[in-house]
Short mmCIF file of all heavy atoms in Angstrom, two decimals:
data_model
loop_
_atom_site.label_atom_id
_atom_site.label_comp_id
_atom_site.label_asym_id
_atom_site.label_seq_id
_atom_site.Cartn_x
_atom_site.Cartn_y
_atom_site.Cartn_z
N GLU M 10 -13.27 99.74 -86.73
CA GLU M 10 -14.15 100.82 -86.18
C GLU M 10 -14.44 100.53 -84.71
O GLU M 10 -14.52 101.49 -83.85
CB GLU M 10 -15.34 100.95 -86.98
CG GLU M 10 -15.21 101.63 -88.23
CD GLU M 10 -14.60 102.95 -88.13
OE1 GLU M 10 -14.97 103.75 -87.19
OE2 GLU M 10 -13.57 103.26 -88.92
N LYS M 11 -14.59 99.28 -84.30
CA LYS M 11 -14.88 98.93 -82.92
C LYS M 11 -13.61 99.42 -81.99
O LYS M 11 -13.73 99.93 -80.97
CB LYS M 11 -15.11 97.52 -82.66
CG LYS M 11 -16.40 96.98 -83.10
CD LYS M 11 -16.55 95.50 -82.87
CE LYS M 11 -17.75 94.98 -83.43
NZ LYS M 11 -17.96 93.56 -83.12
N ALA M 12 -12.42 99.11 -82.61
CA ALA M 12 -11.18 99.54 -81.91
C ALA M 12 -11.00 101.01 -81.75
O ALA M 12 -10.63 101.44 -80.74
CB ALA M 12 -9.95 98.93 -82.60
N VAL M 13 -11.35 101.75 -82.82
CA VAL M 13 -11.29 103.19 -82.75
C VAL M 13 -12.22 103.74 -81.75
O VAL M 13 -11.92 104.64 -80.88
CB VAL M 13 -11.60 103.75 -84.14
CG1 VAL M 13 -11.66 105.31 -84.11
CG2 VAL M 13 -10.46 103.35 -85.10
N SER M 14 -13.47 103.19 -81.75
CA SER M 14 -14.47 103.67 -80.68
C SER M 14 -13.98 103.30 -79.29
O SER M 14 -14.14 104.13 -78.37
CB SER M 14 -15.85 102.95 -80.98
OG SER M 14 -16.29 103.42 -82.22
N TRP M 15 -13.39 102.10 -79.14
CA TRP M 15 -12.93 101.66 -77.82
C TRP M 15 -11.81 102.62 -77.28
O TRP M 15 -11.77 103.10 -76.15
CB TRP M 15 -12.40 100.30 -77.94
CG TRP M 15 -11.92 99.65 -76.72
CD1 TRP M 15 -12.66 98.83 -75.87
CD2 TRP M 15 -10.62 99.70 -76.12
NE1 TRP M 15 -11.98 98.38 -74.87
CE2 TRP M 15 -10.65 98.96 -74.92
CE3 TRP M 15 -9.44 100.32 -76.48
CZ2 TRP M 15 -9.50 98.78 -74.06
CZ3 TRP M 15 -8.34 100.18 -75.64
CH2 TRP M 15 -8.35 99.45 -74.52
N CYS M 16 -10.91 103.00 -78.25
CA CYS M 16 -9.83 103.96 -77.85
C CYS M 16 -10.39 105.32 -77.36
O CYS M 16 -9.97 105.90 -76.42
CB CYS M 16 -8.88 104.08 -79.04
SG CYS M 16 -7.80 102.57 -79.26
N ARG M 17 -11.38 105.79 -78.25
CA ARG M 17 -12.07 107.10 -77.87
C ARG M 17 -12.67 107.00 -76.47
O ARG M 17 -12.71 108.00 -75.76
CB ARG M 17 -13.03 107.50 -79.00
CG ARG M 17 -12.28 107.91 -80.21
CD ARG M 17 -13.19 108.63 -81.23
NE ARG M 17 -12.34 109.11 -82.31
CZ ARG M 17 -12.67 108.86 -83.62
NH1 ARG M 17 -13.70 108.21 -83.94
NH2 ARG M 17 -11.84 109.31 -84.58
N GLU M 18 -13.31 105.85 -76.21
CA GLU M 18 -13.91 105.74 -74.83
C GLU M 18 -12.88 105.87 -73.82
O GLU M 18 -13.20 106.21 -72.57
CB GLU M 18 -14.62 104.42 -74.85
CG GLU M 18 -15.91 104.30 -75.51
CD GLU M 18 -16.49 102.84 -75.58
OE1 GLU M 18 -15.97 102.07 -74.82
OE2 GLU M 18 -17.33 102.61 -76.50
N HIS M 19 -11.63 105.50 -74.06
CA HIS M 19 -10.52 105.67 -73.18
C HIS M 19 -9.73 106.96 -73.37
O HIS M 19 -8.57 107.01 -72.93
CB HIS M 19 -9.62 104.38 -73.27
CG HIS M 19 -10.35 103.21 -72.76
ND1 HIS M 19 -11.03 102.40 -73.57
CD2 HIS M 19 -10.50 102.69 -71.53
CE1 HIS M 19 -11.62 101.40 -72.89
NE2 HIS M 19 -11.28 101.57 -71.65
N GLN M 20 -10.33 107.87 -74.07
CA GLN M 20 -9.69 109.22 -74.30
C GLN M 20 -8.36 109.19 -75.01
O GLN M 20 -7.47 109.98 -74.79
CB GLN M 20 -9.53 109.99 -73.01
CG GLN M 20 -10.85 110.49 -72.41
CD GLN M 20 -11.59 109.32 -71.63
OE1 GLN M 20 -10.93 108.64 -70.80
NE2 GLN M 20 -12.81 109.08 -71.98
N LEU M 21 -8.28 108.14 -75.94
CA LEU M 21 -7.01 108.01 -76.68
C LEU M 21 -7.36 108.21 -78.12
O LEU M 21 -8.14 107.52 -78.75
CB LEU M 21 -6.39 106.54 -76.46
CG LEU M 21 -5.07 106.37 -77.20
CD1 LEU M 21 -4.01 107.31 -76.67
CD2 LEU M 21 -4.71 104.92 -77.02
N GLU M 22 -6.76 109.32 -78.69
CA GLU M 22 -6.97 109.71 -80.04
C GLU M 22 -5.66 109.39 -80.83
O GLU M 22 -4.60 109.51 -80.28
CB GLU M 22 -7.27 111.14 -80.19
CG GLU M 22 -8.66 111.50 -79.58
CD GLU M 22 -9.77 110.95 -80.40
OE1 GLU M 22 -9.70 110.80 -81.56
OE2 GLU M 22 -10.88 110.77 -79.75
N PHE M 23 -5.81 109.27 -82.16
CA PHE M 23 -4.58 108.95 -83.11
C PHE M 23 -4.56 109.98 -84.18
O PHE M 23 -5.59 110.60 -84.57
CB PHE M 23 -4.75 107.59 -83.58
CG PHE M 23 -4.61 106.52 -82.58
CD1 PHE M 23 -5.78 106.04 -81.93
CD2 PHE M 23 -3.47 106.02 -82.28
CE1 PHE M 23 -5.66 105.08 -80.88
CE2 PHE M 23 -3.25 105.12 -81.22
CZ PHE M 23 -4.48 104.64 -80.54
N ASP M 24 -3.34 110.24 -84.64
CA ASP M 24 -3.12 111.14 -85.78
C ASP M 24 -3.30 110.39 -87.10
O ASP M 24 -3.54 111.05 -88.22
CB ASP M 24 -1.65 111.66 -85.66
CG ASP M 24 -1.54 112.50 -84.38
OD1 ASP M 24 -2.09 113.60 -84.23
OD2 ASP M 24 -0.91 111.88 -83.44
N ALA M 25 -3.21 109.10 -87.11
CA ALA M 25 -3.54 108.29 -88.32
C ALA M 25 -3.93 106.87 -87.91
O ALA M 25 -3.57 106.46 -86.78
CB ALA M 25 -2.30 108.21 -89.23
N ILE M 26 -4.73 106.25 -88.75
CA ILE M 26 -5.18 104.96 -88.43
C ILE M 26 -4.91 104.06 -89.66
O ILE M 26 -5.40 104.32 -90.79
CB ILE M 26 -6.74 104.97 -88.09
CG1 ILE M 26 -6.95 105.72 -86.86
CG2 ILE M 26 -7.22 103.43 -87.99
CD1 ILE M 26 -8.42 106.06 -86.52
N ASN M 27 -4.00 103.08 -89.48
CA ASN M 27 -3.66 102.11 -90.47
C ASN M 27 -3.04 102.89 -91.68
O ASN M 27 -3.29 102.42 -92.82
CB ASN M 27 -4.72 101.22 -90.97
CG ASN M 27 -5.01 100.12 -89.93
OD1 ASN M 27 -4.08 99.76 -89.14
ND2 ASN M 27 -6.11 99.56 -89.96
N ASP M 28 -2.42 104.03 -91.45
CA ASP M 28 -1.90 104.84 -92.56
C ASP M 28 -0.77 105.68 -92.11
O ASP M 28 -0.55 105.93 -90.97
CB ASP M 28 -2.99 105.67 -93.07
CG ASP M 28 -2.85 106.16 -94.52
OD1 ASP M 28 -1.76 105.74 -95.21
OD2 ASP M 28 -3.70 106.85 -95.10
N ASN M 29 0.03 106.11 -93.08
CA ASN M 29 1.10 107.06 -92.81
C ASN M 29 0.56 108.44 -92.49
O ASN M 29 -0.52 108.82 -92.97
CB ASN M 29 2.08 107.11 -93.99
CG ASN M 29 2.93 105.86 -93.91
OD1 ASN M 29 3.65 105.67 -93.10
ND2 ASN M 29 2.88 105.05 -95.04
N LEU M 30 1.25 109.17 -91.82
CA LEU M 30 0.94 110.59 -91.56
C LEU M 30 1.00 111.36 -92.89
O LEU M 30 1.89 111.09 -93.71
CB LEU M 30 1.78 111.28 -90.57
CG LEU M 30 1.85 110.66 -89.19
CD1 LEU M 30 2.95 111.17 -88.36
CD2 LEU M 30 0.52 110.90 -88.45
N PRO M 31 0.11 112.32 -93.17
CA PRO M 31 0.13 113.09 -94.40
C PRO M 31 1.53 113.70 -94.62
O PRO M 31 1.98 113.71 -95.79
CB PRO M 31 -0.89 114.15 -94.13
CG PRO M 31 -1.80 113.62 -93.17
CD PRO M 31 -0.92 112.77 -92.35
N GLU M 32 2.24 114.19 -93.62
CA GLU M 32 3.49 114.80 -93.85
C GLU M 32 4.52 113.83 -94.28
O GLU M 32 5.46 114.26 -95.03
CB GLU M 32 3.95 115.61 -92.65
CG GLU M 32 4.01 114.81 -91.35
CD GLU M 32 2.79 114.96 -90.48
OE1 GLU M 32 1.63 114.87 -91.02
OE2 GLU M 32 2.86 114.99 -89.20
N ILE M 33 4.47 112.52 -93.89
CA ILE M 33 5.35 111.52 -94.33
C ILE M 33 5.13 111.24 -95.83
O ILE M 33 6.03 111.08 -96.57
CB ILE M 33 5.19 110.24 -93.42
CG1 ILE M 33 5.67 110.59 -92.04
CG2 ILE M 33 5.93 109.05 -94.05
CD1 ILE M 33 7.15 110.94 -91.83
N VAL M 34 3.83 111.11 -96.18
CA VAL M 34 3.52 110.89 -97.58
C VAL M 34 4.06 112.06 -98.53
O VAL M 34 4.62 111.76 -99.54
CB VAL M 34 2.00 110.73 -97.71
CG1 VAL M 34 1.55 110.57 -99.28
CG2 VAL M 34 1.39 109.56 -97.01
N GLU M 35 3.91 113.26 -98.01
CA GLU M 35 4.39 114.39 -98.78
C GLU M 35 5.84 114.36 -98.83
O GLU M 35 6.45 114.63 -99.90
CB GLU M 35 3.94 115.76 -98.08
CG GLU M 35 4.31 116.97 -98.80
CD GLU M 35 3.82 118.18 -98.18
OE1 GLU M 35 2.76 118.21 -97.44
OE2 GLU M 35 4.49 119.20 -98.35
N MET M 36 6.48 113.94 -97.78
CA MET M 36 8.03 114.02 -97.70
C MET M 36 8.51 113.02 -98.71
O MET M 36 9.50 113.36 -99.42
CB MET M 36 8.49 113.77 -96.31
CG MET M 36 9.98 113.74 -96.21
SD MET M 36 10.59 113.59 -94.47
CE MET M 36 10.10 111.97 -94.07
N TYR M 37 7.98 111.86 -98.74
CA TYR M 37 8.48 110.80 -99.66
C TYR M 37 7.87 110.73 -101.01
O TYR M 37 8.29 110.07 -101.94
CB TYR M 37 8.33 109.40 -99.03
CG TYR M 37 9.25 109.21 -97.84
CD1 TYR M 37 8.80 109.11 -96.53
CD2 TYR M 37 10.65 109.06 -97.97
CE1 TYR M 37 9.62 108.95 -95.44
CE2 TYR M 37 11.49 108.88 -96.96
CZ TYR M 37 11.00 108.87 -95.73
OH TYR M 37 11.89 108.75 -94.53
N GLY M 38 6.87 111.52 -101.25
CA GLY M 38 6.19 111.58 -102.53
C GLY M 38 5.32 110.43 -102.80
O GLY M 38 4.80 110.32 -103.94
N ASN M 39 5.06 109.59 -101.89
CA ASN M 39 4.09 108.42 -102.07
C ASN M 39 3.75 107.90 -100.71
O ASN M 39 4.26 108.13 -99.66
CB ASN M 39 4.73 107.29 -102.98
CG ASN M 39 5.95 106.61 -102.26
OD1 ASN M 39 5.84 106.11 -101.18
ND2 ASN M 39 7.07 106.61 -102.94
N ASN M 40 2.73 106.91 -100.72
CA ASN M 40 2.24 106.45 -99.45
C ASN M 40 2.62 104.90 -99.49
O ASN M 40 1.85 104.10 -100.01
CB ASN M 40 0.77 106.63 -99.34
CG ASN M 40 0.27 106.27 -97.91
OD1 ASN M 40 1.07 105.91 -97.05
ND2 ASN M 40 -1.03 106.42 -97.73
N SER M 41 3.70 104.54 -98.89
CA SER M 41 4.14 103.19 -98.78
C SER M 41 3.08 102.38 -98.00
O SER M 41 2.50 102.89 -97.02
CB SER M 41 5.46 103.13 -98.14
OG SER M 41 5.82 101.77 -97.83
N ARG M 42 2.93 101.15 -98.29
CA ARG M 42 2.01 100.31 -97.48
C ARG M 42 2.55 100.04 -96.08
O ARG M 42 1.87 99.68 -95.19
CB ARG M 42 1.70 99.00 -98.22
CG ARG M 42 2.83 98.02 -98.40
CD ARG M 42 2.30 96.74 -99.07
NE ARG M 42 3.36 95.76 -99.05
CZ ARG M 42 3.65 94.90 -98.07
NH1 ARG M 42 2.89 94.87 -97.10
NH2 ARG M 42 4.68 94.05 -98.25
N LYS M 43 3.91 100.13 -95.93
CA LYS M 43 4.57 99.99 -94.63
C LYS M 43 4.42 101.35 -93.91
O LYS M 43 4.82 102.34 -94.36
CB LYS M 43 6.05 99.61 -94.79
CG LYS M 43 6.77 99.36 -93.58
CD LYS M 43 8.16 98.92 -93.87
CE LYS M 43 8.92 98.67 -92.42
NZ LYS M 43 10.29 98.26 -92.71
N ILE M 44 4.02 101.22 -92.64
CA ILE M 44 3.95 102.36 -91.79
C ILE M 44 5.24 102.95 -91.39
O ILE M 44 6.07 102.19 -90.90
CB ILE M 44 3.07 102.08 -90.48
CG1 ILE M 44 1.65 101.68 -90.88
CG2 ILE M 44 3.05 103.31 -89.60
CD1 ILE M 44 0.74 102.61 -91.51
N THR M 45 5.50 104.22 -91.71
CA THR M 45 6.78 104.88 -91.28
C THR M 45 6.59 105.34 -89.86
O THR M 45 5.65 106.14 -89.53
CB THR M 45 7.06 106.04 -92.21
OG1 THR M 45 7.31 105.56 -93.56
CG2 THR M 45 8.37 106.73 -91.78
N CYS M 46 7.48 104.88 -88.95
CA CYS M 46 7.37 105.33 -87.56
C CYS M 46 8.77 105.15 -86.94
O CYS M 46 9.66 104.46 -87.44
CB CYS M 46 6.36 104.46 -86.77
SG CYS M 46 6.70 102.75 -86.59
N ASP M 47 8.93 105.81 -85.75
CA ASP M 47 10.15 105.69 -85.05
C ASP M 47 10.10 104.53 -83.98
O ASP M 47 11.11 103.94 -83.80
CB ASP M 47 10.43 107.05 -84.21
CG ASP M 47 10.58 108.25 -85.11
OD1 ASP M 47 11.54 108.30 -85.96
OD2 ASP M 47 9.71 109.08 -85.15
N TYR M 48 8.93 104.30 -83.58
CA TYR M 48 8.69 103.16 -82.64
C TYR M 48 7.40 102.44 -83.02
O TYR M 48 6.52 103.04 -83.36
CB TYR M 48 8.58 103.69 -81.21
CG TYR M 48 9.82 104.44 -80.74
CD1 TYR M 48 9.81 105.78 -80.74
CD2 TYR M 48 10.93 103.68 -80.37
CE1 TYR M 48 11.01 106.39 -80.28
CE2 TYR M 48 12.06 104.36 -79.95
CZ TYR M 48 12.10 105.68 -79.91
OH TYR M 48 13.26 106.37 -79.50
N TYR M 49 7.46 101.07 -82.90
CA TYR M 49 6.28 100.31 -83.03
C TYR M 49 6.09 99.50 -81.89
O TYR M 49 6.98 98.71 -81.45
CB TYR M 49 6.48 99.37 -84.32
CG TYR M 49 5.16 98.73 -84.64
CD1 TYR M 49 4.35 99.32 -85.66
CD2 TYR M 49 4.72 97.51 -84.15
CE1 TYR M 49 3.13 98.75 -85.98
CE2 TYR M 49 3.57 96.99 -84.50
CZ TYR M 49 2.71 97.60 -85.43
OH TYR M 49 1.54 97.05 -85.77
N ILE M 50 4.92 99.74 -81.14
CA ILE M 50 4.69 99.04 -79.92
C ILE M 50 3.67 97.84 -80.27
O ILE M 50 2.65 98.09 -80.76
CB ILE M 50 4.07 99.97 -78.85
CG1 ILE M 50 5.07 101.08 -78.64
CG2 ILE M 50 3.70 99.20 -77.63
CD1 ILE M 50 4.50 102.19 -77.74
N ASP M 51 4.22 96.62 -79.91
CA ASP M 51 3.42 95.45 -80.34
C ASP M 51 3.75 94.31 -79.41
O ASP M 51 4.86 94.09 -79.09
CB ASP M 51 3.72 95.04 -81.82
CG ASP M 51 2.83 93.98 -82.38
OD1 ASP M 51 2.29 93.17 -81.64
OD2 ASP M 51 2.68 93.94 -83.64
N ASP M 52 2.74 93.55 -78.98
CA ASP M 52 2.99 92.45 -78.05
C ASP M 52 3.73 91.33 -78.73
O ASP M 52 4.34 90.46 -78.08
CB ASP M 52 1.63 91.91 -77.53
CG ASP M 52 0.76 91.47 -78.60
OD1 ASP M 52 0.50 92.08 -79.64
OD2 ASP M 52 0.18 90.25 -78.43
N LYS M 53 3.86 91.28 -80.07
CA LYS M 53 4.49 90.26 -80.80
C LYS M 53 5.91 90.69 -81.27
O LYS M 53 6.63 89.93 -82.01
CB LYS M 53 3.75 89.77 -82.00
CG LYS M 53 2.34 89.42 -81.72
CD LYS M 53 2.29 88.07 -81.04
CE LYS M 53 0.95 87.52 -80.95
NZ LYS M 53 0.57 86.93 -79.75
N ALA M 54 6.41 91.85 -80.86
CA ALA M 54 7.64 92.38 -81.37
C ALA M 54 8.82 91.59 -80.72
O ALA M 54 8.83 91.22 -79.53
CB ALA M 54 7.83 93.87 -80.91
#
């Protein structure tokens, strides 16, 4: 919650938080614990 508030203070909003997008869940018929994305931006990548 601190991170979400911090991002909002910097005018950065997200379509999902620690979850898959609803349309991805619908497309696959389940919500995998692994986030489905085209790109993952991470300092440890």
